[in-house]
Amino acid sequence: MNAIVTNQITKSFNGFIAVNEIDISVKEGELFGLLGPNGAGKTTLINLLSTMIRPTSGTGTVNGFDIVHDSASVRAVIGVVFQGSTLDEQLTGLENLDLHGRLYGLSAGLRKKRIDEVLDLVELSHKSGLLVKTYSGGMIRRLEIARGLMHHPKVLFLDEPTLGLDPQTRLHIWDYIRRLNREEGITIVLTTHYMEEADNLCDRIAIVDNGRVVALDKPEKLKSALGSDVIILTLDTPEDAKKFYRVCKETGYVSASTKDQTVYISVKKSEEAVPEVFKTAFTSGTNIQSITMRKSTLDDIFIHYTGRGIRDELVDDITYMKYKLQTKR
Amino acid sequence: MGAMLSFQTVYTMWLREMLRFKRAKSRIVGSLATPLFFLIILGTAMGSSYNIENYKEFMAPGIIAMVLLFSSIFGGVSVMWDREFGFLKEILIAPVNRFCIALGKAFGGVTTAMIQGVLLMIITNVFGVHYKSLLGMLLSIPIMFIIGIGFISLGIALATKIESHEGFQMVMSFLTMPLVLLSGAFFPLSKLPDWLRIAVHLNPLTYGVEALRFTLIGESEIPIVVCLVVLTSFAITTTAIGGWLFGRMEV
């Protein structure tokens, strides 16, 4: 059975189409990733599925419940960890969890049991009596995840679960997410703009750009569709790069793209393709400054499908978080 | 189960406000300093300068109503801070009735406002303001509740429409201050020019001030029944509007 199905779901804000006729289905127990740059529409999609906003057109179901007509049933079976903190910072961790349990109708005994469980899971038992405003970013994130699990949701939405966290905490949170998915069988949908996060965690990935799903498959399938190696050429000028990029396209390499004076070419086997590339460069009169080879990453997939790198327009995370805080909503 | 769950929701939101109040206790008690200065300094000065008998007694119910107004509107508008700091999402995503959430929030805020009002009533009494009777003081408490509910719901309704700190400042200066000044908290209603009298009578806070005057000092210019009808209608109307707007809120 599918945990989530959307049918041509669309959301526009004052004429700006944030989510554009997206059709996806997520299987029960799947760890599903939405990958894309900031502003691609990932968060809007999560907000739609979690009934925080209503679609402009199209429909969707979560756990079989319609997100528009049966939003209360949807809300009862989902857990959501939003991008920013949604904790009450004036209260302690324990009080935040307790209020959550009450809102979800858990009895006093059950609340206590679940609170102990989830605090244990995210290793915050010893800090639960402190005010949340004294927590670090990682602790806040973990407490949010703990709270999202307290009512045993069938589907958990994680919006950028590791945004702005240090690498160690990130690994930690990845571990939780995997364990929740495997041991508890919770269907998880997460959004991220970190390639390695999607690659590491997800069973399937939907690449989202400008409100549309431009590719959807298992990470390894997405990668193998491109060829497993990438050849990176540095040329004299950006114009040269553009020209050579066009030549490559005509020559029929699996995929090529360009940025500044660099050209990326995806190939099956770089050892065999390099002489070919040299030959093409020679016949088209292009001068190669340097050449590098490496294995394909999801980054390359992203460039392939959207025509640009995921990091091109990406301010660093801290700047982005600050921006988010200033322009809340 | 529906009724039980609704009650649980209202109680949860009330509990949250109380937990926050517990931590902000000193700040909230400290906020009583300003109205006390008003009463002691302005009350004494006006009374003696213009030779008005019992001006402090006249002014005290007005000052209590003023504190209730500030505290309630602020409590309602705090929904805006909940949105700002994200907690509103946690509430709105929960599988509960949003009207109950708004109601719980209102009850929580009104409890805080009433604690302030009652404290101020006791403190002013200790400082030598004579109230008519203990019964009158006790009867003031339910009146404080009705005043508080009305304005807190107004605050909630405004918060669903306010998007920024500037908006919050606007509410405070263009709504709260005129409401206080136009309430008859500081002056009698009988000798006002027409335009001012009409404005004062259109102000729901006037009826709160008058009702408190009736219970605390035993005299009011507007009959207590009229006051109670107006205050209750105001509270029901704003609660309905506030609850409805809150239910339609998108984050």
Side-chain angles (χ1 to χ4, degrees):
Chain A
M1 187 190 143
N2 283 321
I4 296 173
V5 180
T6 69
N7 182 8
Q8 298 283 297
I9 199 163
T10 300
K11 178 71 183 180
S12 56
F13 300 100
N14 304 323
F16 169 74
I17 303 171
V19 166
N20 197 351
E21 298 179 348
I22 285 186
D23 288 311
I24 51 167
S25 53
V26 178
K27 292 188 216 72
E28 217 168 75
E30 197 172 9
L31 217 170
F32 190 87
L34 294 166
L35 177 71
N38 300 320
K42 296 167 293 171
T43 299
T44 308
L45 185 56
I46 295 260
N47 283 343
L48 284 167
L49 292 173
S50 61
T51 78
M52 291 300 279
I53 54 177
R54 286 160 165 261
T56 311
S57 64
T59 55
T61 60
V62 174
N63 208 41
F65 302 118
D66 188 283
I67 55 168
V68 176
H69 301 110
D70 210 355
S71 61
S73 306
V74 172
R75 290 208 293 269
V77 295
I78 60 171
V80 186
V81 176
F82 292 100
Q83 214 171 89
S85 163
T86 62
L87 297 160
D88 188 336
E89 300 196 345
Q90 311 281 329
L91 304 182
T92 65
L94 194 67
E95 286 165 347
N96 268 291
L97 295 180
D98 183 65
L99 289 180
H100 183 86
R102 286 171 188 274
L103 280 178
Y104 283 78
L106 306 183
S107 67
L110 198 55
R111 279 206 301 278
K112 200 189 163 314
K113 185 171 156 272
R114 296 271 176 89
I115 288 174
D116 288 344
E117 259 173 38
V118 295
L119 279 176
D120 202 42
L121 176 72
V122 299
E123 295 161 37
L124 277 178
S125 307
H126 58 298
K127 300 275 190 187
S128 66
L130 298 178
L131 293 184
V132 172
K133 63 180 171 194
T134 65
Y135 282 25
S136 69
M139 285 161 70
I140 286 183
R141 220 69 197 128
R142 273 145 61 198
L143 186 64
E144 296 241 12
I145 294 178
R147 191 182 58 179
L149 294 172
M150 250 186 83
H151 54 284
H152 285 188
K154 294 225 165 30
V155 180
L156 182 65
F157 294 98
L158 301 168
D159 198 357
E160 301 277 0
T162 63
L163 183 68
L165 299 182
D166 58 89
Q168 202 192 343
T169 315
R170 176 171 299 167
L171 288 179
H172 230 61
I173 288 182
W174 285 359
D175 266 350
Y176 295 139
I177 294 175
R178 268 193 218 103
R179 257 168 63 198
L180 288 171
N181 178 246
R182 291 202 191 126
E183 290 167 24
E184 314 280 332
I186 300 175
T187 308
I188 297 179
V189 176
L190 66 84
T191 76
T192 183
H193 62 248
Y194 297 123
M195 294 293 168
E196 64 278 28
E197 187 156 287
D199 202 0
N200 254 299
L201 285 175
C202 301
D203 298 327
R204 282 193 307 156
I205 299 171
I207 296 179
V208 185
D209 190 42
N210 287 328
R212 288 180 181 277
V213 172
V214 291
L216 195 168
D217 215 324
K218 296 187 169 113
E220 49 285 7
K221 280 260 179 67
L222 284 173
K223 280 190 279 189
S224 68
L226 263 194
S228 60
D229 292 352
V230 184
I231 300 173
I232 305 160
L233 300 172
T234 310
L235 308 181
D236 290 338
T237 62
E239 289 71 46
D240 278 359
K242 282 211 186 79
K243 214 170 77 195
F244 191 64
Y245 162 69
R246 276 195 295 274
V247 173
C248 288
K249 281 225 137 167
E250 283 157 21
T251 319
Y253 290 106
V254 183
S255 165
S257 60
T258 173
K259 191 193 171 227
D260 299 331
Q261 57 209 61
T262 316
V263 179
Y264 302 84
I265 305 166
S266 295
V267 293
K268 292 255 152 39
K269 260 188 164 169
S270 53
E271 297 87 337
E272 289 167 14
V274 167
E276 282 288 316
V277 171
F278 271 125
K279 218 165 86 190
T280 314
F282 185 73
T283 44
S284 67
T286 313
N287 182 39
I288 298 174
Q289 279 191 2
S290 74
I291 182 162
T292 320
M293 288 166 287
R294 62 165 166 77
K295 294 274 160 211
S296 313
T297 64
L298 271 179
D299 250 312
D300 303 309
I301 317 286
F302 194 84
I303 294 173
H304 173 66
Y305 284 107
T306 68
R308 60 181 190 282
I310 197 164
R311 285 172 212 284
D312 286 4
E313 52 208 273
L314 200 80
V315 238
D316 67 291
D317 295 336
I318 302 297
T319 320
Y320 177 66
M321 294 257 298
K322 277 186 187 148
Y323 166 77
K324 266 284 185 198
L325 283 173
Q326 278 157 10
T327 60
K328 208 67 183 233
R329 271 179 66 85
Chain B
M1 98 144 204
M4 195 54 217
L5 211 63
S6 302
F7 174 76
Q8 170 86 345
T9 307
V10 174
Y11 175 73
T12 304
M13 292 312 295
W14 178 84
L15 186 69
R16 176 200 175 218
E17 296 300 319
M18 290 304 100
L19 288 169
R20 288 170 70 95
F21 175 71
K22 202 174 77 187
R23 303 243 158 68
K25 221 168 11 194
S26 53
R27 184 171 55 77
I28 284 169
V29 173
S31 70
L32 293 179
T34 313
L36 269 178
F37 291 148
F38 257 83
L39 187 67
I40 294 168
I41 301 170
L42 202 61
T44 311
M46 299 277 277
S48 56
S49 302
Y50 300 102
N51 222 350
I52 313 169
E53 236 182 289
N54 299 334
Y55 184 68
K56 263 194 292 190
E57 277 74 12
F58 176 80
M59 200 175 152
I63 293 286
I64 294 173
M66 178 180 93
V67 164
L68 286 168
L69 173 84
F70 281 153
S71 183
S72 308
I73 294 229
F74 190 80
V77 172
S78 73
V79 167
M80 198 187 86
W81 307 118
D82 286 344
R83 181 169 57 204
E84 198 75 11
F85 290 104
F87 186 73
L88 191 64
K89 283 187 182 169
E90 154 75 358
I91 313 172
L92 295 186
I93 199 80
V96 292
N97 185 316
R98 289 187 181 176
F99 185 79
C100 295
I101 289 182
L103 207 59
K105 180 102 192 156
F107 281 144
V110 87
T111 308
T112 310
M114 281 164 69
I115 291 173
Q116 286 180 287
V118 170
L119 273 177
L120 193 62
M121 183 169 72
I122 295 169
I123 296 171
T124 50
N125 196 230
V126 170
F127 273 88
V129 177
H130 299 293
Y131 296 126
K132 195 183 65 175
S133 65
L134 184 65
L135 179 69
M137 286 171 78
L138 288 176
L139 283 177
S140 304
I141 296 174
I143 291 173
M144 290 183 194
F145 176 80
I146 309 174
I147 300 174
I149 287 284
F151 286 105
I152 205 161
S153 302
L154 180 67
I156 291 175
L158 289 171
T160 63
K161 296 289 166 196
I162 300 175
E163 308 239 318
S164 62
H165 300 258
E166 292 79 14
F168 176 74
Q169 289 302 332
M170 295 276 277
V171 168
M172 282 312 180
S173 39
F174 283 93
L175 182 76
T176 320
M177 278 322 284
L179 280 176
V180 171
L181 292 174
L182 288 174
S183 70
F186 306 111
F187 45 75
L189 308 177
S190 50
K191 288 177 186 158
L192 301 175
D194 277 348
W195 68 270
L196 193 52
R197 200 180 57 240
I198 292 167
V200 167
H201 280 85
L202 287 175
N203 178 0
L205 189 64
T206 305
Y207 301 87
V209 174
E210 283 290 291
L212 286 177
R213 257 182 208 143
F214 179 83
T215 50
L216 288 176
I217 60 174
E219 47 196 62
S220 63
E221 290 171 86
I222 300 173
I224 180 71
V225 179
V226 176
C227 292
L228 289 179
V229 169
V230 172
L231 285 176
T232 311
S233 321
F234 177 67
I236 291 172
T237 313
T238 54
T239 306
I241 295 173
W244 182 70
L245 286 174
F246 188 80
R248 287 164 40 97
M249 227 174 156
E250 285 191 351
V251 181

